[in-house]
């Protein structure tokens, strides 16, 4: 049967005959339409234009992220009163005014008086200029040359910095270098100091953070008790040793203690059979000393107890279930299971003796509330922290040392158990790309470096269409988990202060992809804010954010190789939390065994130049061993540090 042309039923006499050339083109077109039609492809010029527009958008997002961090650093560390939506004109005007110039609203700029000496840079930058042997006038000379029309980049800059550093960490470069050269400023001689600084200047630099904290906001200080005080049968091991430790803490004027209540101890043997006797005895002793208690509900396993011969694992009945179904644990790409905590893939799966993961957490929280409701009403229990992932922090267990991870490895994605894979397939099918239902195959291994992988390297697949889909899904699972758990936590602890702990994955922060944060579940590359979506959920449930910061001390070389920036990440997280209306607290990850820890904590807890006068709600001191066993801790300095937190101390922390 001959296929009719769409217009073959028209009257041929109604229109004049076509010329031969046009009839030939019509026949060619008709024969082409009769064959299998091919979809129209955009011309190469259009495709290249689309790619160029995509690259332009990425460059613009990257530029805006850098500008935002620069402005935040100038506000925080430079005491510049920049408006909320500042542009480069505002920055130049602020720098010119700081150098003693007059800047009119219309942009007219001139020196106030030819004979007037120019002002030095702000106090926050003076140490950096002195430590690099730069005269204070060099900063002003740059402004002078810029004001008369000479480009800045054509002048020889006296201040040398690493372009890859984030603005919030520029003012700590010199201090970090000095701390490596002079471990003890009080005992170092002038021969070991920097050549451009006198010995008294070095002493002042070491104590620059120990200013007058009188009349500053009162910040409560909590110290954690060691894990070994409660054994794996939920018994208080040594009440007299606990009293001795509490007596010492009371002498340091701390406000309270942090106590871990382990799921693997309380519900160890039988589902929904809870044993709280050891914690009941412990809270009774703490009450004798009139200290507050912050309780941590730990739904994860831990390493060794204080005695060194016991492990705090997940409940025994959970491990029995795992013998038949290991997919209840997080799983990496090669199938290794992480038994530290349960996979978020079973939050809604009834695989725990008829209960879902969320229901198990809720039953535990409700049991605690029923057992210790009277202590909460009396005010002894001041806050309850909910464990939400590895180490009690809101993150995937992407960096497990038990599986061989070592700093500064990027970690691995933990989404290969059966339930997470099912969720990923559903998300890919909903998106219309079922072949995206897989984890990245070029994301490296636990100890890979960012630039060694095809996924995390600059321009890597993390920013491709598939990469953005996968990372949105991966981080979305984290957000869904915290939302579901906190919904039930607010129901179980009606009116109580609830705390959520967020990690500090600061290595590879000065790269474009932020690989360590991506594998931990925070979609926070350079061109995207990965914390605000999480903080909006925390704000919905009115919880307090606890930021873990100032962890293991690594050398400058190690941090440089890892492109680490702990200060930059800390300020991004805290500023994002404050912008979302959250209360923020800080926990130090390791004992404060060195003077260098105190200024960082105080500067973070009480930002001196914050125009909004933000400060943290409390500080938690996480110790690994009892205070009485920490022979390296200088108790007098720790006591003075507590006074600074309380807004009472004026002493300097120098020997």
């Amino acid at each position: 049967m001959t296929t009719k042309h769409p217009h073959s039923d028209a009257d041929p006499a109604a229109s004049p005959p076509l010329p031969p050339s046009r009839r030939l083109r019509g026949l060619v077109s008709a024969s082409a339409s009769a064959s299998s039609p091919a979809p129209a492809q955009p011309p190469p010029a259009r495709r290249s234009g689309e790619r160029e527009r995509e690259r332009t958008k990425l460059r613009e997002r990257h530029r805006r992220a850098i500008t935002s961090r620069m402005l935040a650093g100038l506000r925080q560390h430079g005491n510049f009163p920049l408006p909320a939506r500042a542009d480069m004109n505002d920055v130049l005007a602020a720098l010119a005014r700081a150098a003693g110039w007059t800047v009119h609203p219309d942009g007219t700029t001139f020196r106030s008086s030819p004979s007037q000496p120019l002002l030095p840079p702000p106090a926050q930058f003076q140490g950096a200029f002195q430590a690099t042997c730069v005269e204070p006038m060099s900063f002003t000379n740059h402004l002078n040359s810029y004001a008369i029309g000479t480009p800045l980049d054509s002048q020889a800059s006296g201040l040398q910095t690493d372009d890859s550093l984030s603005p919030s960490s520029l003012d700590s470069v010199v201090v970090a270098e000095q701390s490596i050269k002079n471990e003890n400023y009080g005992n170092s001689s002038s021969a070991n100091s920097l050549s451009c600084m006198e010995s008294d200047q070095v002493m002042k630099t070491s104590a620059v953070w120990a200013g007058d904290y009188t009349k500053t906001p009162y910040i409560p200080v909590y110290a954690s008790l060691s894990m070994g005080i409660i054994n794996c049968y939920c018994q208080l091991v040594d009440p007299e040793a606990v009293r001795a430790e509490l007596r010492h803490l009371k002498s340091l004027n701390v406000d309270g203690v942090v106590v871990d209540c382990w799921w693997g101890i309380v519900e160890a043997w039988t589902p929904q059979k809870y044993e709280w006797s050891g914690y009941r005895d412990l809270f009774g002793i703490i009450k004798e000393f009139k200290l507050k208690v912050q309780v941590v509900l730990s739904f994860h396993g831990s390493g060794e107890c204080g005695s060194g011969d016991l492990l705090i694992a997940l409940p025994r009945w959970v491990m029995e279930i795992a013998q038949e179904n290991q997919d209840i644990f997080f799983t990496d790409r090669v199938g290794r299971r992480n038994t530290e905590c349960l996979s978020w893939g079973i939050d809604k799966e009834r695989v725990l003796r008829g209960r879902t993961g969320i229901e198990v957490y809720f039953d535990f929280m409700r049991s605690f509330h029923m057992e210790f409701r009277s202590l909460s009403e009396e005010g002894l229990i001041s806050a309850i922290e909910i464990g939400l992932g590895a180490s009690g922090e809101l993150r995937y267990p992407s960096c497990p040392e038990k599986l061989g991870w070592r700093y500064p490895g990027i970690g691995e994605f933990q989404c290969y158990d059966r339930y997470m894979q099912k969720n990923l397939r559903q998300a890919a099918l909903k998106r219309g790309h079922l072949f995206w239902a897989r984890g990245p195959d070029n994301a490296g291994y636990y100890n890979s470096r960012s630039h060694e992988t095809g996924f995390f390297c600059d321009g890597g697949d993390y920013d491709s269409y598939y990469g953005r889909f996968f990372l949105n899904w991966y981080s979305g699972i984290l957000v869904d988990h915290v939302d579901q758990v906190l919904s039930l936590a607010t129901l179980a602890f009606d009116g109580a202060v609830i705390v959520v702990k967020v990690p500090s994955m600061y290595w590879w922060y000065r790269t474009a992809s932020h690989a360590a944060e991506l594998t931990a579940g925070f979609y926070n590359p350079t061109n995207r804010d990965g914390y605000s979506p999480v903080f909006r959920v925390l704000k919905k449930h009115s919880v307090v954010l606890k930021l873990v910061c100032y962890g293991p001390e690594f050398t400058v070389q190690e941090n440089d190789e890892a492109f680490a920036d702990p200060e930059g990440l800390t300020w991004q997280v805290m500023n994002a939390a404050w912008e979302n209306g959250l209360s923020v607290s800080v926990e130090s990850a390791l004992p404060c065994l060195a003077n260098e820890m105190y200024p960082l904590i105080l500067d973070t807890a009480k930002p001196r130049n914050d125009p909004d006068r933000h400060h943290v709600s409390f500080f938690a001191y996480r110790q690994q061993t009892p205070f009485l066993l920490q022979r390296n801790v200088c108790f007098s300095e720790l006591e003075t540090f507590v006074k600074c937190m309380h807004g009472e101390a004026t002493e300097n922390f120098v020997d």
Side-chain angles (χ1 to χ4, degrees):
M1 180 180 294
T2 304
T3 304
K4 291 186 178 181
H5 190 273
H7 301 287
S8 59
D9 56 346
D11 186 3
S15 58
L18 295 174
S21 61
R22 295 188 61 182
R23 286 200 303 270
L24 179 61
R25 285 197 298 268
L27 291 174
V28 173
S29 175
S31 61
S33 62
S35 62
S36 58
Q41 297 292 335
R46 181 182 301 177
R47 290 197 299 270
S48 61
E50 292 175 354
R51 287 194 296 268
E52 181 61 29
R53 283 193 295 272
E54 183 69 19
R55 286 193 292 266
T56 301
K57 291 179 182 178
L58 294 177
R59 287 194 296 268
E60 180 64 18
R61 288 198 292 266
H62 181 68
R63 186 191 64 80
R64 290 180 180 177
I66 294 176
T67 302
S68 176
R69 289 173 184 153
M70 290 177 63
L71 296 177
L74 289 173
R75 292 190 187 98
Q76 180 61 41
H77 302 287
N79 198 21
F80 291 113
L82 298 175
R85 297 183 178 275
D87 56 17
M88 296 312 298
N89 290 337
D90 298 316
V91 174
L92 290 174
L95 292 173
R97 292 190 182 101
W101 289 64
T102 299
V103 181
H104 286 173
D106 62 353
T108 303
T109 304
F110 56 90
R111 289 181 57 177
S112 300
S113 174
S115 60
Q116 179 181 355
L118 297 180
L119 298 178
Q124 288 77 3
F125 296 121
Q126 289 179 5
F129 279 85
Q130 294 171 359
T132 51
C133 303
V134 179
E135 298 179 359
M137 289 292 293
S138 64
F139 177 76
T140 309
N141 291 340
H142 285 297
L143 291 175
N144 294 343
S145 63
Y146 186 84
I148 62 177
T150 304
L152 275 173
D153 55 3
S154 66
Q155 304 294 326
S157 175
L159 178 61
Q160 301 296 329
T161 59
D162 186 356
D163 293 337
S164 61
L165 288 175
S166 69
S168 57
S169 63
L170 287 177
D171 59 340
S172 62
V173 174
V174 178
V175 177
E177 293 175 353
Q178 284 181 238
S179 63
I180 300 301
K181 296 181 180 179
N182 302 316
E183 294 182 359
N184 190 339
Y185 289 104
N187 298 328
S188 61
S189 63
S190 59
N192 293 329
S193 63
L194 295 175
S195 60
C196 58
M197 298 183 67
E198 300 295 337
S199 59
D200 58 341
Q201 289 178 315
V202 177
M203 288 296 296
K204 291 178 181 178
T205 304
S206 67
V208 68
W209 53 274
D212 188 357
Y213 285 91
T214 306
K215 298 182 180 180
T216 57
Y218 184 98
I219 297 178
V221 178
Y222 291 80
S224 65
L225 297 180
S226 59
M227 295 186 297
I229 59 178
I230 301 290
N231 64 20
C232 294
Y233 297 93
C234 202
Q235 298 170 339
L236 187 59
V237 176
D238 192 345
E240 292 307 317
V242 172
R243 285 189 173 90
E245 185 171 358
L246 292 175
R247 191 175 297 110
H248 183 71
L249 290 174
K250 187 70 174 180
S251 69
L252 293 176
N253 295 317
V254 301
D255 298 87
V257 294
V258 180
V259 177
D260 292 281
C261 292
W262 295 93
W263 179 39
I265 293 178
V266 176
E267 196 183 359
W269 308 102
T270 307
Q272 296 181 285
K273 298 294 183 181
Y274 307 98
E275 178 57 59
W276 297 101
S277 58
Y279 291 104
R280 192 182 306 110
D281 297 338
L282 175 61
F283 294 155
I285 295 177
I286 296 173
K287 187 177 180 180
E288 297 175 6
F289 291 86
K290 298 181 180 179
L291 293 171
K292 301 289 185 181
V293 179
Q294 285 191 2
V295 175
V296 180
L297 301 184
S298 301
F299 294 105
H300 63 284
S302 181
E304 295 182 350
C305 292
S307 58
D309 57 353
L310 293 175
L311 295 176
I312 301 179
L314 296 184
R316 276 67 170 175
W317 59 272
V318 172
M319 303 307 292
E320 292 174 359
I321 295 174
Q323 293 179 359
E324 300 178 358
N325 181 11
Q326 293 189 1
D327 285 293
I328 64 175
F329 297 129
F330 284 107
T331 308
D332 62 18
R333 186 161 58 95
V334 298
R336 288 171 292 191
R337 315 288 183 173
N338 190 315
T339 60
E340 182 182 356
C341 56
L342 295 178
S343 168
W344 299 337
I346 65 170
D347 280 354
K348 300 179 181 179
E349 301 286 342
R350 296 191 177 278
V351 294
L352 301 175
R353 303 283 174 85
R355 292 186 295 168
T356 66
I358 294 295
E359 291 172 346
V360 168
Y361 304 143
F362 175 69
D363 291 341
F364 185 84
M365 292 186 287
R366 183 173 55 183
S367 173
F368 175 87
H369 179 65
M370 297 299 294
E371 185 71 28
F372 301 110
R373 175 188 296 177
S374 60
L375 298 182
S376 299
E377 294 173 350
E378 294 173 7
L380 177 68
I381 298 177
S382 60
I384 301 173
E385 180 181 321
I386 310 297
L388 291 168
S391 301
E393 302 168 355
L394 177 58
R395 65 177 176 90
Y396 288 88
S398 56
C399 302
E401 293 187 2
K402 291 181 179 180
L403 297 182
W405 174 87
R406 296 295 181 269
Y407 179 87
I410 59 176
E412 290 192 22
F413 293 112
Q414 304 290 315
C415 59
Y416 294 92
D417 61 83
R418 184 191 353 159
Y419 305 102
M420 293 282 281
Q421 286 293 298
K422 182 178 73 172
N423 192 304
L424 178 58
R425 282 194 298 272
Q426 293 173 350
L429 185 60
K430 183 178 179 180
R431 182 67 183 269
H433 302 291
L434 189 57
F435 59 93
W436 282 355
R438 56 179 177 82
D441 54 6
N442 59 347
Y445 303 96
Y446 285 115
N447 293 316
S448 297
R449 282 15 180 191
S450 181
H451 57 274
E452 298 172 348
T453 70
F455 192 80
F456 297 114
C457 66
D458 290 349
D461 291 343
Y462 79 93
D463 208 22
S464 64
Y465 286 108
Y466 159 73
R468 291 195 291 270
F469 159 78
F470 174 80
L471 293 172
N472 269 306
W473 169 82
Y474 191 72
S475 61
I477 294 293
L478 180 146
V479 174
D480 291 341
H481 174 72
V482 65
D483 190 17
Q484 296 175 59
V485 174
L486 290 181
S487 296
L488 296 179
T490 54
L491 180 62
F493 306 113
D494 186 20
V497 177
I498 298 177
V499 181
V500 169
K501 187 190 300 185
V502 172
S504 180
M505 314 296 290
Y506 55 81
W507 51 102
W508 307 110
Y509 186 79
R510 288 191 282 118
T511 61
S513 61
H514 294 202
E517 293 173 272
L518 296 186
T519 57
F522 291 93
Y523 189 8
N524 188 54
T526 303
N527 57 2
R528 189 180 189 274
D529 178 11
Y531 291 94
S532 289
V534 180
F535 294 164
R536 283 192 290 269
V537 174
L538 301 185
K539 177 61 178 177
K540 182 178 74 172
H541 299 288
S542 303
V543 304
V544 176
L545 171 70
K546 178 189 283 187
L547 175 62
V548 179
C549 57
Y550 311 120
E553 290 295 322
F554 297 101
T555 65
V556 173
Q557 181 180 359
E558 288 176 322
N559 280 336
D560 286 343
E561 292 176 355
F563 292 89
D565 189 2
E567 292 86 1
L569 176 59
T570 296
W571 286 112
Q572 181 194 353
V573 172
M574 296 184 70
N575 288 328
W578 282 329
E579 288 176 1
N580 284 276
L582 285 174
S583 296
V584 180
S585 61
V586 170
E587 175 183 294
S588 66
L590 290 179
C592 303
L593 299 180
N595 283 357
E596 290 80 3
M597 295 292 290
Y598 295 109
L600 297 175
I601 295 171
L602 284 169
D603 185 53
T604 302
K606 299 182 178 185
R608 291 179 178 271
N609 303 313
D610 191 335
D612 298 320
R613 301 184 181 275
H614 288 128
H615 59 85
V616 301
S617 56
F618 65 85
F619 169 72
Y621 176 66
R622 174 66 64 171
Q623 55 172 334
Q624 302 298 325
T625 57
F627 268 98
L628 298 179
L629 300 180
Q630 295 185 32
R631 303 184 183 276
N632 293 327
V633 174
C634 183
F635 292 130
S636 61
E637 291 188 356
L638 185 58
E639 182 180 8
T640 309
F641 168 75
V642 174
K643 289 182 178 179
C644 287
M645 281 290 188
H646 290 170
E648 302 172 358
T650 59
E651 298 90 343
N652 286 343
F653 289 81
V654 292
D655 295 334

